[in-house]
């Protein structure tokens, strides 16, 4: 009896042992990989190391954009160990005006017993944060951009914001164009964590260092940019204009020295992501004439002895009459006088000699059919006509019926300044990464006009400045080759008599080995519609400054 | 009789292992705390550096110079400097 009992007990124990062994086998062998993974996920953590975004500098190595670490302050009622008013007094001591700035939200927070948490917009610095080690106060770190020159060059710099995933991303200007270079590479630490959640670095940890973003060193001359912005704002106010743009380029290299666009009510905060100098298309008007004359001289369609025998009357093309801006006729005008008087009739005869094929060939060589490729986000592509009736070719000779961006027009005109060679405009000179200089690739230079053409057109432009209506504005010590322009703005495809105008002045100084090429565009000036009386005075005032600066 | 030394050996081995693991883990924790502290210090220095860079740039910015210097006190240097010698 006893034997059978002990046998049953042994069998039962063996059976239990086998079951437990199977269970152990199940958990320890079959389920091992899955459980190991779960355990790792509970004890290991992945920590991101954020890189520092690259800074942006002017040509004198002055920072135009820096990084700033700020802290956003929050209050959490359940953690308060003292009265809210006492806590607020302590905050006020460290951050003056905190209570006044947040009076409304504070009042609501105080009076609402159900509201346990509040976050304020005030940005505190490191020192302020460290002085407020009080129970119930929490901080959130926020990375921001800081602009030492305030809104200077805002169109060039762009701004930063967050994408849909909450990552910092550039919008407009350099911030967007060079997003990849500026953002750097995020680093990681993956390893076990201790009870406080800090990563324990051991042999089983894996880490990859963060790589900070590249710093950008631009060609922007800070002093020139400063004057450009001051004088453009003054010009817009003085001439009661809607807006205006100025761009200055270094003729040999295409380096952008300064660029700005302002409106009559210019915003003082650097938040703009649209740059009208590269994204607005406009009809250039008479500033286009020197390019047509250069094309005609280069193609040998005319020579410097050209005389416009038919300039004593309007040029009739079909049902259209081409006349002059001052309703006058300049009989037997020489090439120099056609440019000096900005003679539309003379220009329409010159382009007729040049012919459509030659015109389109040079138009394309001057880069006017495509984007310039400037290193800024948002450049518009010029639209080019496919049909060219005779009247359209004639109006193109004085810059109407064609559209360009300001930067496109400057790039084309700069070809005259740069001895017939087209260079692409560029904002960035070089990058630095860990103190290593990284240069941008050299850009292709395209010859467009021959040397004789350049010599002739420079002489014509110089004559036009020294004998035209702008002669009295030109400082004696400056040698200038330039042209004014006034383009009517088409409304629904036609030009009304009282339509607004775009007044421009484009040129370079000195005429030989120039230091700069500059374009000034004023939109809808109300004191006078003409480029020679609105854009030109700004151009000459700036030219005097640039002559000393560059 | 043999059981006693064997038991003592096992027991002392366990004690040694526990002491060693305590020592070793506290060493890891110390090292880790040191790394964490250094990282906090580095971060703080970086932020201080940022602040100084920001302050220097603000003080030497053209907008600051323009705001603080009174234009009417300027005299044209070319006109006023008289080089006698």
């Amino acid at each position: 009896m006893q034997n059978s009992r002990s046998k049953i007990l042994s069998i039962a124990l063996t059976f239990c042992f086998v079951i437990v062994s199977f269970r152990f086998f199940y958990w320890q062998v079959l389920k091992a990989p899955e459980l190991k993974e779960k355990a790792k996920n509970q004890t290991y953590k992945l920590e991101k190391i954020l890189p520092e975004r690259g800074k942006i500098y002017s040509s004198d190595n002055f920072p135009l954009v820096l990084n700033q670490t700020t802290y956003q302050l929050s209050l959490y009622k359940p953690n308060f160990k003292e009265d809210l008013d006492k806590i607020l007094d302590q905050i006020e001591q460290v951050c003056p005006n905190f209570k006044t700035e947040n009076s409304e939200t504070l009042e609501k927070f105080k009076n609402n017993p159900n509201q346990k948490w509040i976050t304020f917009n005030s940005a505190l610095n490191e020192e302020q944060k460290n002085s407020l080690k009080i129970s119930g106060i929490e901080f959130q770190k926020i990375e921001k951009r800081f602009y030492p020159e305030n809104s200077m060059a805002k169109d060039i710099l762009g701004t930063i914001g967050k994408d849909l995933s909450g990552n910092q991303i550039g919008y407009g200007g350099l911030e967007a164009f060079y997003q990849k270079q500026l953002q750097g590479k995020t680093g990681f630490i993956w390893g076990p964590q201790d009870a406080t959640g800090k990563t324990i670095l051991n042999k089983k940890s894996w880490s990859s260092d963060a790589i900070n973003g590249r710093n950008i060193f631009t060609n922007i001359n800070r002093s020139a940019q400063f004057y450009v912005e001051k004088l453009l704002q003054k010009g817009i106010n003085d001439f009661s204009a809607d807006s205006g743009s100025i761009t200055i380029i270094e003729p040999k290299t295409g380096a952008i020295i300064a660029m700005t666009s302002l409106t009559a009510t210019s915003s003082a905060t650097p938040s703009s992501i649209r740059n009208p100098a590269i994204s607005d298309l406009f009809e250039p008007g008479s500033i286009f004439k020197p390019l047509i004359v250069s094309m005609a001289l280069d193609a040998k369609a005319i020579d410097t002895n050209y005389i416009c025998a038919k300039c004593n009357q309007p040029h009739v093309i079909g049902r259209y009459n081409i006349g002059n801006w001052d309703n006058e006729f300049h009989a037997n005008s020489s090439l120099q006088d056609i440019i000096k008087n900005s003679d539309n009739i003379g220009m329409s005869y010159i382009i007729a000699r040049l012919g459509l094929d030659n015109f389109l060939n040079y138009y394309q060589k001057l880069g006017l059919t495509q984007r310039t490729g400037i290193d800024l986000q948002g450049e518009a592509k010029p639209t080019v006509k496919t049909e060219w009736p005779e009247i359209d070719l004639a109006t193109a000779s004085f810059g109407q019926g064609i559209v360009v961006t300001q930067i496109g027009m400057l790039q084309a005109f700069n070809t005259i300044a740069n001895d017939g060679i087209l260079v692409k405009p560029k904002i960035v000179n070089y990058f630095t990464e860990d103190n290593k200089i990284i240069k941008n690739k050299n850009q292709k230079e395209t010859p467009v006009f021959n040397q004789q053409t350049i010599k002739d057109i420079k002489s014509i432009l110089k004559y036009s400045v020294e004998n035209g209506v702008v002669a009295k504005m030109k400082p004696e010590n400056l040698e200038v080759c330039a042209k004014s322009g006034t383009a009517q703005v088409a409304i629904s495809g036609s030009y009304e008599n009282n339509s607004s105008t775009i007044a421009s002045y484009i040129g370079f100084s000195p005429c030989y080995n120039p230091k700069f090429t500059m374009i000034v565009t004023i939109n809808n000036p109300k004191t006078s519609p003409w480029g020679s009386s609105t854009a030109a005075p700004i151009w000459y005032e700036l030219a005097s400054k640039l002559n000393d600066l560059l | 009789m043999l059981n006693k030394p064997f038991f003592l050996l096992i027991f002392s081995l366990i004690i040694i292992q526990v002491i060693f693991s305590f020592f070793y883990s506290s060493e890891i924790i110390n090292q880790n705390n040191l790394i964490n502290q250094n990282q906090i210090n580095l971060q703080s220095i970086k932020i201080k550096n940022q602040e100084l860079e920001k302050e220097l740039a603000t003080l030497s910015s053209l907008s600051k110079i323009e705001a603080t210097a009174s234009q009417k006190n300027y005299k044209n240097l070319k006109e006023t400097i008289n080089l006698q010698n």
Side-chain angles (χ1 to χ4, degrees), chain A residues 320-465:
Chain A
Y320 300 100
N321 277 352
I322 290 179
N324 279 329
W325 60 278
D326 52 1
N327 295 322
E328 285 188 16
F329 301 106
H330 309 279
N332 297 320
S333 278
S334 67
L335 202 51
Q336 284 182 327
D337 286 331
I338 288 173
I339 290 292
K340 188 197 87 181
N341 299 324
S342 205
D343 196 316
N344 292 346
I345 302 168
M347 289 306 302
S348 65
Y349 284 114
I350 290 172
I351 206 166
R353 283 210 185 188
L354 176 68
L356 179 63
D357 289 345
N358 271 336
F359 167 70
L360 291 178
N361 183 28
Y362 280 107
Y363 197 75
Q364 191 252 331
K365 273 189 184 175
L366 285 167
L368 294 165
T369 55
Q370 52 206 316
R371 294 181 181 94
T372 62
I374 188 169
D375 44 357
L376 290 175
Q377 199 198 41
E379 187 181 7
K381 190 180 180 194
T383 44
V384 186
K385 286 177 187 175
T386 46
E387 300 286 320
W388 284 91
E390 195 185 350
I391 183 65
D392 282 9
L393 184 65
T395 58
S397 71
F398 43 89
Q400 296 276 176
I402 51 169
V403 286
V404 291
T405 54
Q406 193 192 56
I407 192 69
M409 184 63 215
L410 184 65
Q411 176 190 250
F413 199 90
N414 186 58
T415 309
I416 300 174
N418 190 30
D419 295 334
I421 295 161
L422 182 128
V423 286
K424 299 269 179 193
K426 56 184 180 188
I427 301 280
V428 172
N429 187 8
Y430 62 90
F431 303 90
T432 59
E433 187 181 307
D434 292 334
N435 296 327
K436 255 191 339 203
I437 290 179
I438 302 157
K439 280 260 178 195
N440 258 343
K441 277 182 196 164
N442 278 342
Q443 285 171 336
K444 208 177 115 188
E445 294 183 340
T446 319
V448 180
F449 300 125
N450 69 46
Q451 292 304 301
Q452 189 55 46
T453 304
I454 295 302
K455 201 178 152 201
D456 294 340
I457 190 67
K458 280 186 176 177
S459 145
I460 292 168
L461 287 171
K462 192 166 177 259
Y463 170 86
S464 144
V465 167

Side-chain angles (χ1 to χ4, degrees), chain A residues 68-69 146 149 198 230, chain B residues 36 50 54 62-63 66:
Chain A
Q68 184 185 17
T69 305
F146 177 75
E149 290 287 8
K198 287 176 194 158
K230 287 272 157 209
Chain B
N36 282 329
Q50 249 183 25
K54 193 183 124 188
L62 291 174
S63 41
E66 193 206 21

